[in-house]
Amino acid sequence: MTLDTQGILAAVTIAMYAPFLFISIRLAVKYGIKRGDGWILLLVFCIIRVLGGALLVAAEEITPVNISLYIGGYSLEASGLSPLLLCTLGLLHSIFQTPDGLSRYNKQFRLLNLLGMLALILTIIGITNASSSNTSSSSSANTIRRVGVILFCVLYIILAGVCLYLWSQIRFVMRYRKQLLKAISVALPFLLVRTIYSVLSTFSSSTFTITTTTQPATGDLAKFNIITGEWQIYLVMDMLMEYAIVIIYAVAGLVLPLNQDYKSPDSYQDEYPLSRPQL
């Protein structure tokens, strides 16, 4: 069977992220679980993209049509924003670490992680239940899905706020984490576009039903629909934005000797409020 445009984009996604699977594994090993929550989530994101692409390609190649493969593929596609936001959150949290490796504001960042996980759960539940033929259930699922994407927006706004706060305290940030903060700041505009696309896509249709005869969405936002919208918009606002973020984070992780912040005397400042023990 010949792949359609969505199938081709899914195959391209696999090719794009397969190399980053190995890079992100290397980064996760390099920084470890304790100090590398953000890097581990980068690995999770790459796995989701490869797996989601594989499901969508398989959905078009397998006959008779298996709707479950489409649902799984699009669920992973829609939920991919969560690990990308949480990856950014984890990297920002690492900037608050002290020269001896201790983390600050752990409770606050745990709550933000829960917010991201809640948004992810709502998104997946919404997409899964939207496949129901029950009109009432489908309507409820769409509401749940929209609540999930709104929570993603809230999380992004908080991330931007944390980033601005760190810039206001830049003289107290450890040497190489200053460079990491620059990388995150460069990635945030791309993440903003990706988040906006999720909002527009989610509100582009009142349903998320996938059938062999799925009809194009109608309305002002129809072109942003992840299934039946314009593929050029999906390519630019979704795929390329995500890829730019992954490249920025991967290069930063590979190039910056972040672990030296725990060893270099330059890491210690005369006054270092970000490293004071948390009460």
Side-chain angles (χ1 to χ4, degrees):
M1 180 185 295
T2 303
L3 297 176
D4 62 13
T5 302
Q6 291 291 337
I8 293 173
L9 291 176
V12 171
T13 298
I14 297 173
M16 288 168 59
Y17 286 103
F20 281 100
L21 276 176
F22 300 99
I23 294 175
S24 55
I25 290 173
R26 178 180 175 183
L27 291 173
V29 172
K30 178 180 179 181
Y31 294 108
I33 296 177
K34 184 177 180 180
R35 294 177 177 174
D37 291 346
W39 306 112
I40 292 173
L41 285 163
L42 183 63
L43 170 61
V44 172
F45 173 77
C46 292
I47 292 174
I48 286 176
R49 281 292 165 260
V50 172
L51 181 58
L55 288 176
L56 290 177
V57 170
E60 295 197 8
E61 291 291 341
I62 293 177
T63 53
V65 174
N66 188 333
I67 299 300
S68 296
L69 291 176
Y70 281 106
I71 294 175
Y74 283 117
S75 294
L76 289 173
E77 167 57 35
S79 62
L81 180 59
S82 178
L84 206 55
L85 287 168
L86 293 178
C87 169
T88 304
L89 180 67
L91 296 181
L92 285 172
H93 191 198
S94 71
I95 298 176
F96 284 97
Q97 288 176 341
T98 67
D100 55 7
L102 297 177
S103 297
R104 298 189 71 242
Y105 303 112
N106 291 326
K107 293 180 180 179
Q108 292 86 340
F109 277 91
R110 286 195 193 100
L111 289 175
L112 293 177
N113 271 288
L114 289 175
L115 176 65
M117 291 303 298
L118 176 60
L120 172 62
I121 292 171
L122 291 176
T123 301
I124 294 178
I125 291 176
I127 293 176
T128 303
N129 291 347
S131 61
S132 173
S133 57
N134 188 300
T135 304
S136 176
S137 176
S138 179
S139 176
S140 175
N142 188 59
T143 300
I144 293 174
R145 190 165 55 97
R146 290 181 175 181
V147 171
V149 79
I150 290 174
L151 292 180
F152 282 142
C153 292
V154 172
L155 182 57
Y156 176 86
I157 293 172
I158 294 174
L159 291 178
V162 172
C163 189
L164 289 174
Y165 171 76
L166 284 169
W167 275 112
S168 72
Q169 303 292 318
I170 190 63
R171 66 188 182 280
F172 305 124
V173 176
M174 290 188 289
R175 179 181 178 184
Y176 294 111
R177 273 158 177 70
K178 291 179 181 178
Q179 304 304 316
L180 178 60
L181 180 59
K182 292 179 181 179
I184 295 172
S185 300
V186 172
L188 279 181
F190 297 104
L191 188 56
L192 174 61
V193 174
R194 175 62 182 88
T195 304
I196 291 174
Y197 177 78
S198 283
V199 175
L200 296 176
S201 176
T202 301
F203 284 85
S204 65
S205 173
S206 59
T207 62
F208 195 89
T209 303
I210 303 173
T211 65
T212 56
T213 57
T214 300
Q215 297 298 315
T218 58
D220 296 334
L221 301 179
K223 60 185 177 181
F224 297 103
N225 189 277
I226 192 175
I227 301 176
T228 61
E230 297 180 8
W231 68 266
Q232 297 92 336
I233 293 178
Y234 168 77
L235 173 65
V236 174
M237 295 186 70
D238 187 300
M239 290 181 61
L240 294 184
M241 295 300 105
E242 291 180 347
Y243 203 55
I245 296 167
V246 171
I247 290 175
I248 292 170
Y249 289 167
V251 170
L254 292 172
V255 173
L256 296 177
L258 297 174
N259 284 333
Q260 291 187 20
D261 276 336
Y262 305 117
K263 305 173 184 177
S264 172
D266 294 337
S267 298
Y268 294 85
Q269 307 289 339
D270 293 334
E271 183 181 4
Y272 191 62
L274 294 186
S275 68
R276 292 172 184 163
Q278 184 178 0
L279 298 177

